[in-house]
Amino acid sequence: MKFEEKQRQYIKTVEDSLAESIKLENPYYPSLRAAMEYSLMAGGKRLRPVLALAVAEMLEKDIRDVLAFACSIEMIHTYSLIHDDLPAMDNDDYRRGKLTNHKVFGEATAILAGDALLNLAYENMIEDAIASKNSRKLEAMGIIAKYAGAQGMIGGQAIDLDSEGKSIPEDKLKAMHRLKTGALIKAPVEAAAVISGANDNEFRLLSGFAANLGLAFQIKDDILDVEGSMDNMGKKPGSDALSLKTTYVTMYGLEEASNLLRNVTDEGVSYLQSFGERAHFLRDLAISLVKRNS
Amino acid sequence: MKFEEKQRQYIKTVEDSLAESIKLENPYYPSLRAAMEYSLMAGGKRLRPVLALAVAEMLEKDIRDVLAFACSIEMIHTYSLIHDDLPAMDNDDYRRGKLTNHKVFGEATAILAGDALLNLAYENMIEDAIASKNSRKLEAMGIIAKYAGAQGMIGGQAIDLDSEGKSIPEDKLKAMHRLKTGALIKAPVEAAAVISGANDNEFRLLSGFAANLGLAFQIKDDILDVEGSMDNMGKKPGSDALSLKTTYVTMYGLEEASNLLRNVTDEGVSYLQSFGERAHFLRDLAISLVKRNS
């Protein structure tokens, strides 16, 4: 099957499951549910859950074994975007070409919708772990929780916050991205590997792939911020430069950042070698991320 | 042992464990950690974790079996207070006589500190569940997650938000309190019961006790909002009336609300009857909540 067709299949599986998860029945708080749904069902590449499904399938497991966890990671990603866009944080009015959550539902509901999506991620993982009796799911949940928390993604957001309007050293820039973006890209790969019963070597290789993929993703984001257009990004380009953020482009220049992007992607893909033909989707996915224009 | 002495013991156990949990080691985000610690270690009655320890001990189990979960519920409670106090939500400057989190650390860090505490609650429960191999812990985690989420506490906050400045019907007021306050009081009691291996009847009795305790707690809060003084409450009294909130006092009047408080407390305590003398701490705790002046 062609990459794009398989990707569309994975995305549809994820979106059907997300739509199912978000059904809350309570007549008293329709706006909370609407706000959660607005951001969760806003489309996008669904990179994180797609990674989880692809890893499970590559390891010759049923993708339904990892679907709940894959969707929970998308919920965690979505909540982080809602909170990141708030006026007190990045103060963004648009996300993927749509008004941000707080612009539609107000700040208070946006805060609660983010909280509720984070909590729902755990509700669904726990429910799935109880139902499946696969004891590795508890371990996978621990991996996701660590990468999502203060020593993972939230830690990265805190570094980002602390770095605004400042020039920051390279090690801090790298730590920020490793945590803020990288952690939640490693999470679905490692969690799916664990649930699928990957052996130590397979786990190590997949983790290496994911670490490089996360870094490549961030470098590309920084490049797109300079090169991108409003049409493609759904937000104003150059917003990093406007806020005086240190990025891979401000640190290395556009050309060197582009070289770094290629090298990091190549290194990531090299981790997939021993999986052979089975890894073709993950390989194509890594390459598609380098080529993306939004 | 006298009630107050036992309560102090439980509180110390909880606070020692919380202080241990909050130790994050990363040189890059000291302000995030400081903000988390500021609110988590701000003292207070520690009602929710104390309930969990007391239930475990009443069921003749080691309180260490429920300690991690008890502390996680306190983290969830704390995060909800941090977010509730934000300018976009209740816009409170003081909490327990101290400046609120965002007044000290700024709104952005307060949002992240709340997020991080919610996530840390799950990190710690998952870690504890993996270490203990008590399969009931996964079930207990599910109970806590449900009560903390959109169909529990956050749902109650959403109703509250939606009701501000409006007169709301009795069924909605009750649903709001059952979720906003009640859910996170049932959580430690039910979770501790499950972890401690309570049988169905014990679970049902403890759950009934907790439901009434939560309702009594809220009615007392509404009464204190009218009667309380700045010294005791650490926030301006009458703030509910100022924001035109519907409360048990605005709905029933002070005298009828006081009667309701006594009845609900009596009903709660009646659920403890069959536990006999073993339930004395929980009984005394319920009575202390009626008598509290802050």
Side-chain angles (χ1 to χ4, degrees):
Chain A
M1 198 183 296
K2 275 188 64 183
F3 169 73
E4 287 78 12
E5 192 185 339
K6 188 77 199 170
Q7 187 181 33
R8 269 195 300 276
Q9 256 186 25
Y10 282 145
I11 291 174
K12 179 160 181 358
T13 303
V14 167
E15 299 210 323
D16 288 350
S17 177
L18 287 174
E20 196 57 39
S21 307
I22 204 74
K23 284 186 186 154
L24 308 169
E25 276 161 37
N26 191 307
Y28 294 123
Y29 42 82
S31 59
L32 175 65
R33 187 195 180 284
M36 292 166 74
E37 189 173 25
Y38 177 82
S39 293
L40 190 63
M41 303 311 291
K45 292 173 296 286
R46 308 296 188 187
L47 170 63
R48 294 154 194 82
V50 165
L51 277 167
L53 303 192
V55 166
E57 199 153 39
M58 189 185 75
L59 295 172
E60 295 167 334
K61 289 292 185 299
D62 192 329
I63 58 171
R64 285 172 297 185
D65 286 350
V66 301
L67 185 56
F69 280 57
C71 289
S72 283
I73 294 167
E74 187 69 4
M75 289 179 195
I76 293 171
H77 173 59
T78 304
Y79 110 78
S80 78
L81 300 181
I82 296 174
H83 283 186
D84 242 0
D85 287 336
L86 287 167
M89 307 274 288
D90 286 352
N91 194 21
D92 280 317
D93 291 352
Y94 289 92
R95 159 85 56 191
R96 296 174 184 156
K98 285 177 71 177
L99 284 169
T100 46
N101 199 289
H102 65 273
K103 295 299 284 184
V104 179
F105 299 96
E107 277 184 63
T109 297
I111 293 167
L112 289 184
D115 295 344
L117 283 169
L118 172 55
N119 200 80
L120 186 60
Y122 287 103
E123 289 178 66
N124 286 350
M125 285 191 282
I126 294 164
E127 195 185 346
D128 182 67
I130 290 173
S132 85
K133 305 197 190 309
N134 172 344
S135 68
R136 292 186 301 263
K137 291 207 169 170
L138 191 56
E139 195 190 326
M141 219 189 296
I143 289 172
I144 294 167
K146 190 190 68 177
Y147 282 135
Q151 319 217 42
M153 181 186 68
I154 300 173
Q157 291 174 292
I159 300 174
D160 194 15
L161 205 61
D162 190 47
S163 310
E164 247 162 72
K166 292 181 203 165
S167 172
I168 60 171
E170 188 174 351
D171 65 331
K172 197 167 174 177
L173 178 72
K174 285 190 172 162
M176 177 179 95
H177 289 316
R178 187 171 45 76
L179 297 173
K180 192 180 172 183
T181 314
L184 222 58
I185 287 178
K186 285 183 92 172
V189 172
E190 294 189 2
V194 165
I195 293 172
S196 303
N199 64 34
D200 286 354
N201 189 47
E202 288 169 331
F203 182 87
R204 187 186 59 76
L205 292 170
L206 284 167
S207 179
F209 164 70
N212 282 285
L213 190 73
L215 180 54
F217 188 82
Q218 185 59 53
I219 298 170
K220 180 72 186 189
D221 246 17
D222 289 353
I223 292 173
L224 282 172
D225 186 73
V226 179
E227 291 186 338
S229 71
M230 181 68 184
D231 276 357
N232 286 328
M233 290 288 282
K235 62 174 184 176
K236 283 197 220 68
S239 62
D240 292 345
L242 281 174
S243 64
L244 299 174
K245 268 188 186 167
T246 306
T247 73
Y248 282 98
V249 177
T250 66
M251 184 158 292
Y252 297 111
L254 195 54
E255 197 182 325
E256 194 51 44
S258 301
N259 289 337
L260 189 61
L261 172 61
R262 266 189 303 278
N263 293 342
V264 168
T265 304
D266 288 348
E267 191 181 335
V269 169
S270 74
Y271 279 96
L272 299 173
Q273 211 154 19
S274 66
F275 294 104
E277 192 41 41
R278 286 190 294 152
H280 72 92
F281 182 86
L282 290 177
R283 212 173 278 124
D284 289 349
L285 183 63
I287 292 162
S288 78
L289 291 181
V290 176
K291 293 189 183 155
R292 74 196 160 100
N293 55 13
S294 70
Chain B
M1 198 185 294
K2 274 186 65 182
F3 170 73
E4 286 78 12
E5 192 184 339
K6 188 77 198 170
Q7 186 181 34
R8 269 195 301 276
Q9 256 186 28
Y10 282 145
I11 290 174
K12 181 165 180 355
T13 303
V14 166
E15 300 210 321
D16 288 351
S17 177
L18 288 174
E20 196 58 39
S21 308
I22 204 72
K23 283 185 187 155
L24 309 169
E25 275 161 38
N26 190 307
Y28 294 123
Y29 41 82
S31 59
L32 176 65
R33 186 194 181 284
M36 292 167 74
E37 189 173 26
Y38 177 81
S39 292
L40 190 63
M41 304 311 291
K45 291 174 295 285
R46 308 296 189 186
L47 170 63
R48 292 155 196 81
V50 165
L51 277 167
L53 304 192
V55 165
E57 199 153 37
M58 189 185 75
L59 295 171
E60 294 168 333
K61 290 293 185 300
D62 192 328
I63 58 171
R64 285 172 297 184
D65 287 348
V66 300
L67 185 55
F69 279 58
C71 289
S72 283
I73 294 167
E74 187 69 4
M75 289 177 195
I76 294 171
H77 173 59
T78 303
Y79 111 77
S80 77
L81 299 181
I82 295 174
H83 283 188
D84 241 0
D85 287 337
L86 286 167
M89 306 274 288
D90 286 352
N91 195 20
D92 279 317
D93 292 352
Y94 290 92
R95 159 85 56 192
R96 294 175 186 157
K98 286 177 71 177
L99 283 169
T100 47
N101 200 289
H102 65 273
K103 294 300 282 184
V104 178
F105 298 96
E107 277 183 63
T109 298
I111 292 167
L112 289 184
D115 294 344
L117 283 169
L118 172 56
N119 200 80
L120 187 60
Y122 287 103
E123 290 179 65
N124 285 351
M125 285 191 283
I126 294 164
E127 193 185 347
D128 183 67
I130 291 173
S132 85
K133 305 197 192 307
N134 171 345
S135 68
R136 292 186 302 262
K137 292 206 169 171
L138 190 56
E139 194 189 328
M141 218 188 295
I143 289 172
I144 293 167
K146 190 189 65 173
Y147 282 136
Q151 318 218 40
M153 180 187 69
I154 300 173
Q157 290 173 292
I159 300 174
D160 194 14
L161 206 60
D162 190 49
S163 311
E164 248 162 74
K166 293 181 202 163
S167 172
I168 59 171
E170 187 173 352
D171 65 330
K172 197 167 174 178
L173 177 73
K174 285 189 171 162
M176 176 179 95
H177 289 316
R178 187 171 45 77
L179 297 174
K180 190 178 175 186
T181 315
L184 222 59
I185 287 178
K186 285 183 92 172
V189 172
E190 293 190 1
V194 165
I195 293 171
S196 303
N199 63 36
D200 287 353
N201 189 47
E202 287 169 332
F203 182 87
R204 188 185 59 76
L205 292 171
L206 284 165
S207 179
F209 163 70
N212 282 284
L213 190 73
L215 180 54
F217 188 82
Q218 185 57 53
I219 299 170
K220 181 71 186 189
D221 247 17
D222 288 352
I223 292 172
L224 282 172
D225 186 74
V226 179
E227 289 185 339
S229 71
M230 181 69 185
D231 277 358
N232 286 328
M233 292 287 283
K235 61 173 183 175
K236 282 199 221 67
S239 61
D240 291 344
L242 281 175
S243 64
L244 299 175
K245 268 188 187 169
T246 307
T247 73
Y248 283 98
V249 177
T250 66
M251 185 157 292
Y252 297 110
L254 195 54
E255 198 182 324
E256 194 50 43
S258 300
N259 288 338
L260 188 62
L261 172 60
R262 266 189 303 276
N263 292 342
V264 168
T265 305
D266 288 349
E267 192 181 334
V269 168
S270 74
Y271 279 95
L272 299 174
Q273 210 154 19
S274 66
F275 295 103
E277 191 42 41
R278 287 189 294 150
H280 72 91
F281 181 86
L282 290 177
R283 211 173 278 126
D284 289 351
L285 182 63
I287 292 162
S288 78
L289 290 180
V290 176
K291 292 189 181 154
R292 74 196 160 100
N293 55 13
S294 70

